[in-house]
């Protein structure tokens, strides 16, 4: 193959060249062959030529994760030519042929042709912006721009200063918190679980001691709309691991150092605690948003998609198990098992897919209880952002929430019935039947 015959000057940025400049390119270029899997340009390494793909496919990878596919007519890597180091790996996905245009030829074109130079440097700028954008959301810089309200978790819990330290301990346990606001006349203070422990264990105070006696009234606080870096400075200056958060002059909760850690690192170990502490569907809605944000963080950090799916599925199962506990009446909880099917049941979920679940009951339950659960559970998943299943494979559908005996009769009926409806309900349509090989059970008992 001759370079003069194969080089296509109609692709940007070469469409900005004069005929003589195109001929100069053709005269000085060579052709390179790259085998499947071969690294053409490595991240952090310079490149002595601009590659223009003639045929084949080139994968663009950053930290092992594929970010783009380049095909015939695409060129790379402009950044390596200008800055002396590529920002990504360029790997042949299949047998690939490229024009190899020497760096001196490219620099001559940049100096002579303003249109070519503008396009070329715009491409370099775009790559640098994309690289910075991929790294910025998960780094410390994002925390400097975040607000306190983005990291604060939980609500404000207030106890009267005249209550006993025993009552304060029981309140903390009941609301699943480690700090309370204490209102004592015109002043407001903060008492923590550590304050209560030291009062009883080290100071040997009676459990009947008023909580005001162990409360700190020198509260260090911050506004919910302030930047997180201001919170970090306050924590450092006052040697605090926790700040009171104000909004419009009143206390609305606490910001802890572990909350900031969760925003910086996207630590999936923090989300289960938020799920377990949820006292209502509204709290779980916040946790559901955290799970989805975690997917984006992990992807931005180059975590393998298989690992992201496993982490996300585990968190979603925990989320739905807690939802089951919160909205299922006692009759449903005592004899019911929530079934997760489809991608959720197989542990393959990353983005929120259709609701694909069912309810298996050991014995019949009162119809009002069952109807209330079906509606509450589905409405909560709507709030979490899970689309409804077009085929109706959901708890709210009586076909998918019934007793074991009913399910068995229904499955036998689908096998015998040759109707389109039966075929749609059977696994061939993508619906997973409720048996352990294809579904996961999640309930209070696990």
């Amino acid at each position: 193959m001759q370079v003069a015959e194969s080089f296509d000057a109609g692709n940007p940025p070469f469409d900005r060249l004069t005929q003589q400049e195109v001929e100069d390119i053709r005269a000085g270029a060579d052709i390179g062959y790259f085998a499947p899997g071969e690294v053409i340009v490595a991240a952090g390494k310079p490149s002595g030529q601009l590659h223009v793909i003639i045929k084949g496919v080139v994968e663009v990878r950053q930290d092992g994760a594929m970010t783009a596919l380049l095909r015939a007519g695409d060129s790379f890597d402009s950044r390596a030519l200008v800055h002396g180091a590529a920002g990504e790996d360029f790997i042949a996905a299949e047998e690939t042929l490229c024009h190899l245009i020497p760096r001196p030829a490219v620099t001559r074109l940049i100096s002579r042709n303003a249109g070519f130079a503008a396009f070329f440097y715009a491409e370099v700028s775009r790559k640098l912006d994309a690289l910075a954008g991929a790294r910025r959301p998960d780094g410390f810089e994002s925390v400097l721009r975040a607000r306190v309200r983005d990291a604060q978790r939980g609500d404000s819990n207030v106890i009267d200063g005249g209550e006993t330290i025993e009552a304060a301990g029981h309140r903390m346990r009941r609301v699943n918190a480690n700090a309370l606001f204490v209102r004592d006349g015109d002043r407001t203070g903060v008492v923590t679980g550590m304050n209560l422990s030291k009062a009883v264990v080290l100071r040997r105070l009676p459990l009947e001691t008023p909580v005001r006696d162990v409360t700190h009234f020198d509260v260090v606080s911050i506004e919910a709309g302030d930047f997180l870096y201001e919170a970090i400075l306050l924590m450092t200056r006052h040697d605090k691991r926790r700040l009171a958060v104000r909004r419009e002059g009143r206390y609305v909760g606490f910001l802890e150092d572990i909350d900031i850690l969760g925003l910086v690192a996207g630590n999936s170990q923090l989300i289960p605690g938020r799920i377990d502490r949820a006292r209502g569907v509204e709290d779980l809605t916040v946790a559901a948003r955290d799970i989805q944000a975690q997917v984006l963080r992990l992807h931005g950090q180059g975590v393998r998609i298989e690992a992201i799916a496993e982490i996300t599925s585990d968190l979603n199962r925990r989320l739905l198990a807690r939802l089951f506990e919160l909205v299922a009446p006692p009759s449903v909880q005592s004899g019911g098992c929530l079934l997760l099917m489809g991608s959720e049941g197989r542990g393959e979920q990353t983005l929120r897919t259709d609701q694909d679940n069912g309810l298996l009951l050991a014995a019949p339950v009162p119809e009002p209880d069952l109807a209330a659960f079906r509606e509450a559970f589905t409405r909560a998943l709507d709030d979490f952002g899970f689309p409804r299943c077009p085929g109706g494979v959901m708890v709210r559908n009586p076909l998918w929430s019934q007793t074991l005996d009913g399910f068995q009769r229904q499955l036998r009926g689908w096998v015998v019935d040759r109707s389109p409806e039966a075929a749609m309900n059977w696994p061939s349509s993508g619906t997973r039947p409720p048996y352990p090989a294809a579904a996961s059970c999640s309930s209070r008992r696990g």
Side-chain angles (χ1 to χ4, degrees):
M1 181 188 300
Q2 298 296 318
V3 174
E5 296 175 356
S6 63
F7 185 82
D8 184 2
N11 291 321
F14 305 104
D15 58 350
R16 289 154 174 77
L17 302 180
T18 66
Q19 186 60 39
Q20 184 57 52
E21 288 169 339
V22 171
E23 294 303 324
D24 291 342
I25 286 285
R26 287 172 171 163
D30 200 353
I31 291 179
Y33 167 81
F34 304 96
E38 183 177 352
V39 178
I40 304 174
V41 180
K45 301 294 184 181
S47 177
Q49 55 231 343
L50 184 67
H51 297 72
V52 183
I53 301 175
I54 302 171
K55 61 177 295 186
V57 178
V58 174
E59 293 180 352
V60 184
R61 291 187 172 271
Q62 183 177 334
D63 297 328
M66 188 171 68
T67 59
L69 284 175
L70 305 181
R71 303 181 186 276
D74 292 329
S75 59
F76 62 93
D77 176 42
S78 52
R79 180 189 170 190
L81 262 68
V82 173
H83 289 276
E88 301 148 304
D89 292 311
F90 295 82
I91 303 170
E94 56 187 53
E95 289 189 323
T96 300
L97 290 177
C98 292
H99 290 299
L100 308 178
I101 305 175
R103 185 176 186 275
V106 176
T107 56
R108 282 197 302 269
L109 289 173
I110 291 173
S111 64
R112 295 175 183 173
N113 188 310
F116 181 92
F119 186 100
F120 192 88
Y121 281 115
E123 176 70 4
V124 175
S125 177
R126 183 193 65 77
K127 290 195 172 191
L128 291 174
D129 287 344
L131 182 64
R135 291 175 177 172
R136 195 177 299 130
D138 301 298
F140 197 72
E141 294 101 333
S142 65
V143 176
L144 301 183
R145 296 188 302 276
R147 304 285 181 172
V148 168
R149 59 176 171 265
D150 297 327
Q152 176 211 342
R153 305 293 173 184
D155 300 321
S156 170
N157 292 284
V158 183
I159 191 171
D160 188 87
E163 295 282 348
T164 66
I165 59 177
E166 181 181 17
H170 285 296
R171 171 73 72 84
M172 288 182 186
R173 180 178 180 181
R174 187 166 62 253
V175 300
N176 203 2
N178 196 42
L180 301 172
F181 288 104
V182 178
R183 185 172 293 122
D184 189 52
D186 294 334
R187 59 180 184 168
T188 299
V190 174
V191 64
T192 67
M194 184 60 70
N195 297 148
L196 299 181
S197 299
K198 287 181 177 180
V200 174
V201 177
L202 300 182
R203 298 170 59 187
R204 303 284 184 175
L205 294 179
L207 294 179
E208 295 76 21
T209 303
V211 70
R212 67 168 69 93
D213 294 352
V214 296
T215 295
H216 294 279
F217 289 96
D218 53 339
V219 179
V220 180
S221 63
I222 191 167
E223 285 290 331
D226 287 346
F227 289 106
L228 271 186
Y229 77 84
E230 297 176 279
I232 295 172
L233 291 176
L234 273 178
M235 287 181 176
T236 303
R237 184 177 302 138
H238 295 279
D239 193 24
K240 298 287 187 180
R241 296 185 56 190
R242 178 186 295 106
L243 299 176
V245 178
R246 299 188 312 269
R247 184 181 293 120
E248 297 178 354
R250 64 185 185 88
Y251 292 117
V252 294
F254 294 98
L255 174 71
E256 301 192 27
D257 52 6
I258 197 169
D259 297 327
I260 299 176
L261 173 63
L263 194 63
V264 176
N267 191 341
S268 59
Q269 295 177 346
L270 303 180
I271 299 176
R274 295 169 190 161
I275 293 174
D276 293 343
R277 290 193 299 271
R279 300 195 302 274
V281 173
E282 187 173 319
D283 294 337
L284 286 182
T285 303
V286 175
R289 288 199 299 267
D290 289 342
I291 294 172
Q292 196 61 26
Q294 175 77 350
V295 172
L296 301 178
R297 289 193 194 100
L298 293 176
H299 177 69
Q301 294 166 359
V303 178
R304 292 182 302 107
I305 191 64
E306 296 87 351
I308 296 176
E310 185 175 352
I311 292 170
T312 304
S313 294
D314 285 344
L315 291 174
N316 279 340
R317 279 194 287 269
R318 192 169 191 135
L319 176 78
L320 298 186
R322 180 61 178 151
L323 175 62
F324 184 83
E325 294 176 343
L326 290 173
V327 303
S331 60
V332 174
Q333 284 199 38
S334 62
C337 178
L338 181 64
L339 304 178
L340 306 182
M341 298 176 278
S343 61
E344 185 72 62
R346 297 189 299 271
E348 299 171 353
Q349 192 166 81
T350 52
L351 300 178
R352 294 185 184 126
T353 53
D354 295 347
Q355 298 178 32
D356 202 351
N357 46 56
L359 177 67
L360 186 64
L361 295 167
V365 300
E367 188 58 35
D369 288 358
L370 187 55
F373 170 71
R374 287 168 174 162
E375 179 61 28
F377 189 84
T378 302
R379 187 170 60 248
L381 291 189
D382 292 342
D383 293 340
F384 295 168
F386 289 91
R388 296 196 178 188
C389 174
V393 185
M394 297 181 293
V395 159
R396 73 189 302 267
N397 185 346
L399 289 177
W400 292 98
S401 58
Q402 54 179 306
T403 63
L404 177 59
D405 290 342
F407 263 127
Q408 290 175 334
R409 287 194 301 271
Q410 182 170 278
L411 288 172
R412 285 193 292 268
W414 285 341
V415 171
V416 174
D417 190 358
R418 296 182 179 273
S419 69
E421 291 76 14
M424 286 295 294
N425 284 324
W426 199 243
S428 59
S429 66
T431 298
R432 302 299 181 189
Y435 51 81
S440 298
C441 289
S442 178
S443 72
R444 194 182 197 90
R445 303 171 303 286

